[in-house]
Amino acid sequence: MKIEVRDNPAALQYEVSVDGEPAGVIRYTLGGDVVTLVHTEVEPKYEGHGVGAALVKGALDDLRARGKKIVPLCEYVLAYLERHDEYRDLVQE
């Protein structure tokens, strides 16, 4: 399974594909250097296969590389952050 994550700034979302097929998104809003992660969706056929985690990790890695902070409103992103302390520094105080 080839999983790819990319930012689609025109649509204000990170998109994940599996073997070239759309598999999910994280919708976000922008406010300066702060990105609010609002909602994560994964296509039902990819649930339970690590696609959602790959999507969140890819988005967080991209945001870190761009020097952004996050406000995690999405429950899935919040749960991911609870399991991955290495991303806690991205959360806006």
Side-chain angles (χ1 to χ4, degrees):
M1 221 172 38
K2 182 179 179 188
I3 299 174
E4 293 183 50
V5 176
R6 72 177 188 92
D7 184 17
N8 181 346
L12 294 176
Q13 63 187 23
Y14 279 90
E15 301 168 343
V16 64
S17 63
V18 175
D19 297 329
E21 182 177 324
V25 298
I26 296 177
R27 297 190 199 321
Y28 63 82
T29 62
L30 295 174
D33 284 334
V34 179
V35 177
T36 301
L37 303 173
V38 179
H39 181 68
T40 302
E41 293 177 23
V42 173
E43 294 295 325
K45 76 181 200 175
Y46 295 112
E47 290 178 0
H49 297 283
V51 174
L55 172 57
V56 174
K57 180 183 183 324
L60 295 177
D61 287 344
D62 180 65
L63 292 166
R64 172 176 279 145
R66 293 174 30 206
K68 303 290 187 182
K69 290 288 189 181
I70 66 166
V71 174
L73 295 183
C74 171
E75 290 181 22
Y76 188 86
V77 173
L78 285 167
Y80 186 90
L81 290 170
E82 286 178 13
R83 295 186 312 273
H84 297 274
D85 286 337
E86 66 270 24
Y87 292 106
R88 290 281 179 168
D89 63 301
L90 294 177
V91 177
Q92 177 72 33
E93 295 295 325

